[in-house]
Amino acid sequence: MPTTLGYAEPVDAEFAQDPFPSKIGGKPRWLDPRHALSADRVVCDECGKPMVLLMQLSAPEDDPPSAFHRTLFVFICRTGSCHSSGASRCMRVFRSQLPEDNAVYTANTEGDDIEWEQAEGVEAAAECIVCGLHGSKTCSSCHGRRYCSRAHQVADWDAGHKAQCTTMPHAESADHTRRMRRMVFPEHVIVSEEEAEEQAESDSESDSEDIEPNSVVPVTNERVEDSETEVDAAFMEFQRRIQRDPDQVLRYARAPDAETEPMLLVSDTGAPTDVPACEACGTDRQFEFQIMPQMLNYLNLDSTDPHSIDWGTLLVFTCPVSCEPTDTFMPEVVCKQSFSSHGIGQKYLRAYYGDEDAFSRQFESLDV
């Protein structure tokens, strides 16, 4: 199965009408809008605040029938310092799926292609006005706004609801709206296309001499000469592959029957091991997709902050049989691999980040 690459693009009118979007940031678009994820399932173990949506991916399956509609949701903590700990403490991933015949969507077959539409009478769950998680709480004064947690109620109050609570509880000033948007990541649609086949060796060698401004490190003849001593093989392969499509934010390579898992690691050391089996059916989880470091460019992060969110790649492992859900949101596993100062080579860290302290700040060893 060829790898599918994902790219970030601005949202448009067509995206707004898509019932099964793949996207970065914003509030979740729940596969089953009757159920929203509870905040207590995505509380950061470091700071105790609810995580926000990093991305969601529509990944339907032909088999089993219960996964005809299928979406994966990835949540992370917005506090950068929390990410110095393991991914399991500040990141979560969930699988949600529905069979073709369900109470939420109906098929419109009038045109050449089947179009899925939300069925009439579907009552959406109450959602947090800040992040889109289940809105289990209400403003105690106006009862007009829902929240997932005390933390987001306070955030909305401070952002501007305090001034409008009793007079215009559903209204937001322009400044209030801007502040609310900054509480989640900016929204972009993810579009996809298959990764092109490898070029002939002679073409690849010629291309490797060109400088790619979007590469993880500059591609030069000097880098090639020094690579044997300064850069490990996994990073060299990582750099070579993403150089061909430097704007990719995601790589999807679900292949449950494959003997090898097509992960693109950023270092020879610290590959994820002992990924837990599916808690529901006991099947060993397998790699499905990975989130690339290029996605960080779309999150409106402060790149000068030494504690800013960072990763080399995020690897998502899921149940390979998409087993029958026992819950609307089935937990899966995300692992984080960071660039290592040993693997990437110190001179390239200096070139990329511009200072000697970048080694410990941005390129730590694998953290799961």
Side-chain angles (χ1 to χ4, degrees):
M1 175 181 175
T3 297
T4 299
L5 305 182
Y7 303 90
E9 291 190 356
V11 299
D12 54 20
E14 183 178 350
F15 164 78
Q17 301 302 317
D18 186 355
F20 314 116
S22 295
K23 71 188 189 85
I24 299 169
K27 298 175 184 177
R29 299 260 290 274
W30 305 115
L31 178 63
D32 186 345
R34 300 171 302 176
H35 303 280
L37 185 67
S38 175
D40 60 13
R41 301 187 68 181
V42 287
V43 171
C44 175
D45 293 334
E46 291 294 309
C47 68
K49 297 178 181 178
M51 304 177 196
V52 298
L53 181 74
L54 172 63
M55 60 153 290
Q56 67 180 76
L57 180 68
S58 178
E61 304 261 68
D62 293 328
D63 187 55
S66 63
F68 184 85
H69 301 295
R70 180 173 176 270
T71 298
L72 298 165
F73 298 91
V74 181
F75 294 86
I76 68 172
C77 182
R78 279 215 56 143
T79 304
S81 58
C82 294
H83 290 259
S84 60
S85 62
S88 62
R89 296 185 61 80
C90 59
M91 299 181 181
R92 302 282 191 277
V93 57
F94 294 92
R95 164 172 54 96
S96 185
Q97 60 194 56
L98 289 170
E100 181 177 10
D101 184 12
N102 63 78
V104 181
Y105 299 102
T106 58
N108 183 343
T109 58
E110 294 180 358
D112 295 334
D113 299 322
I114 297 177
E115 295 184 1
W116 293 92
E117 301 171 347
Q118 187 168 304
E120 294 184 5
V122 174
E123 185 175 349
E127 295 184 6
C128 176
I129 193 70
V130 175
C131 68
L133 293 171
H134 178 53
S136 59
K137 304 179 184 300
T138 60
C139 174
S140 59
S141 295
C142 68
H143 304 286
R145 293 169 81 85
R146 308 280 300 203
Y147 305 103
C148 68
S149 61
R150 171 67 177 168
H152 281 181
Q153 182 175 2
V154 171
D156 182 42
W157 186 261
D158 292 342
H161 182 55
K162 178 181 180 179
Q164 299 164 306
C165 178
T166 57
T167 56
M168 295 182 294
H170 298 287
E172 291 181 6
S173 66
D175 182 62
H176 188 185
T177 300
R178 283 193 296 270
R179 293 187 180 193
M180 293 285 285
R181 287 177 178 171
R182 288 198 293 266
M183 295 180 195
V184 296
F185 294 119
E187 193 170 46
H188 296 80
V189 62
I190 297 177
V191 299
S192 61
E193 63 179 42
E194 288 189 2
E195 185 177 32
E197 295 183 2
E198 293 275 8
Q199 294 179 330
E201 186 66 23
S202 58
D203 293 337
S204 297
E205 290 176 356
S206 174
D207 290 345
S208 68
E209 296 180 1
D210 298 330
I211 295 178
E212 286 284 350
N214 290 327
S215 297
V216 174
V217 296
V219 180
T220 64
N221 288 334
E222 181 183 7
R223 190 206 68 177
V224 175
E225 293 170 1
D226 292 343
S227 63
E228 293 184 2
T229 58
E230 286 211 347
V231 183
D232 67 32
F235 178 77
M236 290 293 289
E237 174 63 11
F238 181 87
Q239 173 73 345
R240 185 185 68 83
R241 291 289 292 276
I242 66 172
Q243 180 189 343
R244 292 161 48 194
D245 298 282
D247 294 326
Q248 60 184 282
V249 298
L250 181 141
R251 297 177 64 86
Y252 185 89
R254 182 170 173 82
D257 298 326
E259 294 184 1
T260 59
E261 296 183 310
M263 293 182 291
L264 193 57
L265 300 177
V266 300
S267 176
D268 285 329
T269 59
T273 58
D274 300 326
V275 175
C278 176
E279 293 83 0
C281 69
T283 306
D284 289 338
R285 285 188 174 95
Q286 293 183 10
F287 170 74
E288 182 162 354
F289 71 94
Q290 66 188 101
I291 299 170
M292 307 299 284
Q294 288 89 332
M295 190 177 288
L296 293 164
N297 297 328
Y298 296 92
L299 303 184
N300 197 26
L301 302 174
D302 181 2
S303 60
T304 64
D305 181 1
H307 301 294
S308 181
I309 298 170
D310 191 31
W311 61 73
T313 189
L314 301 179
L315 306 161
V316 175
F317 295 81
T318 60
C319 177
V321 298
S322 292
C323 64
E324 192 71 27
T326 57
D327 189 320
T328 304
F329 301 98
M330 300 292 287
E332 300 291 4
V333 173
V334 57
C335 302
K336 181 177 73 172
Q337 190 179 31
S338 300
F339 296 108
S340 69
S341 57
H342 170 73
I344 192 174
Q346 293 187 353
K347 74 167 60 175
Y348 304 115
L349 282 173
R350 288 194 293 270
Y352 189 61
Y353 283 99
D355 67 89
E356 299 280 348
D357 296 331
F359 314 138
S360 59
R361 185 170 71 244
Q362 299 286 356
F363 291 92
E364 301 170 357
S365 53
L366 178 70
D367 197 0
V368 176

